[in-house]
Amino acid sequence: MRFRNALLLCSLAATLGLTGCSQTTTTAGSPTEGEKVATNQIFSSNYGPVEDHGYAVPGVPINRVDQRFHRQIVDYPTKERPGTIVVNTPSRFLYYVLPGGKAVRYGIGVGKQGFAWEGEAYVAWKQEWPTWHPPKEMAERKPEVARYVDAGMGPGIGNPLGARALYLFNKEGKDTLFRLHGTPEWSSIGTAASSGCIRLMNQDIMDLYSRVRPGRSARVVVQQ
């Protein structure tokens, strides 16, 4: 099960209002061995409320989020080319590789136990304030989302994809149904809280979105 079975559950909404993926309480482990975490710059002041395309993005009480999950520039020596996205699932970090052995590091929420995966993909396209279309397989299990399969859930804070979504395709050019997306559920960052997708605080997915140029060169590597 490389992508599809686990990723069909991507963006699984909680029964309370379909505002995000299902929650657990599993927290992050230790950083990966050999990972350099020296912080060069931290952006803890960048989580205030934002007006974006007519939508009001709530501020994050960032003092209640472990500081290691705040957006920051870190030392990150790697063989990956600048522009590559590396998702380190155990440590709950996403790295956007910069030149000169640096990276932008974001805190993330990852798939809960049983939905873990690893592999490579690329960002085929991206969308501001996306519409959510749950797969038909999800609608068969959860009839309450069936009406969104074709019509979609319109954009907004309650949409499971949040303010931005990056759509991942495999090397054959097929949609994996896996997304990097936003969430207002800041307390889920650093946990295994979703049914497959990688979630970032809305302020962070907006920052990542601005850096990514879709195409096969926008490589995504997911590590377990």
Side-chain angles (χ1 to χ4, degrees):
M1 181 174 67
R2 289 174 61 92
F3 279 113
R4 188 163 184 87
N5 289 341
L7 302 181
L8 285 174
L9 300 176
C10 173
S11 298
L12 179 61
T15 54
L16 297 177
L18 295 175
T19 55
C21 300
S22 56
Q23 296 283 332
T24 72
T25 56
T26 306
T27 55
S30 301
T32 301
E33 182 177 354
E35 183 179 70
K36 293 181 69 65
V37 295
T39 298
N40 304 154
Q41 186 176 4
I42 192 164
F43 299 93
S44 299
S45 63
N46 287 29
Y47 291 94
V50 179
E51 289 291 332
D52 182 75
H53 297 292
Y55 298 98
V57 179
V60 174
I62 198 63
N63 61 318
R64 296 174 61 186
V65 178
D66 192 317
Q67 191 175 64
R68 60 187 166 141
F69 298 125
H70 299 192
R71 186 192 327 153
Q72 50 198 282
I73 306 295
V74 298
D75 291 342
Y76 190 68
T78 178
K79 295 180 180 178
E80 300 291 350
R81 294 171 52 187
T84 300
I85 293 171
V86 180
V87 178
N88 188 300
T89 301
S91 61
R92 316 290 199 255
F93 294 138
L94 181 151
Y95 297 90
Y96 179 81
V97 179
L98 300 173
K102 308 292 183 183
V104 186
R105 192 181 78 188
Y106 307 87
I108 58 175
V110 302
K112 60 186 177 180
Q113 188 175 5
F115 295 97
W117 65 280
E118 61 183 333
E120 298 183 12
Y122 68 96
V123 179
W125 61 290
K126 62 182 185 178
Q127 182 66 51
E128 297 179 330
W129 293 103
T131 297
W132 179 57
H133 289 271
K136 292 180 180 179
E137 292 84 353
M138 180 186 292
E140 291 173 358
R141 295 187 306 272
K142 297 180 67 65
E144 65 270 25
V145 307
R147 60 185 171 137
Y148 300 118
V149 171
D150 294 321
M153 178 186 284
I157 293 299
N159 186 301
L161 297 181
R164 303 286 190 274
L166 307 179
Y167 296 79
L168 305 190
F169 283 44
N170 63 22
K171 63 181 180 180
E172 287 80 30
K174 296 181 179 179
D175 189 353
T176 65
L177 303 182
F178 192 85
R179 315 292 184 236
L180 308 178
H181 66 86
T183 180
E185 297 175 356
W186 54 267
S187 61
S188 70
I189 301 304
T191 72
S194 81
S195 293
C197 285
I198 298 297
R199 58 172 60 173
L200 295 80
M201 288 180 278
N202 275 321
Q203 287 82 348
D204 282 344
I205 195 65
M206 293 166 73
D207 181 81
L208 177 63
Y209 182 99
S210 70
R211 298 174 187 272
V212 174
R213 184 175 180 177
R216 288 188 177 269
S217 62
R219 186 163 174 259
V220 179
V221 180
V222 178
Q223 303 170 335
Q224 289 291 346

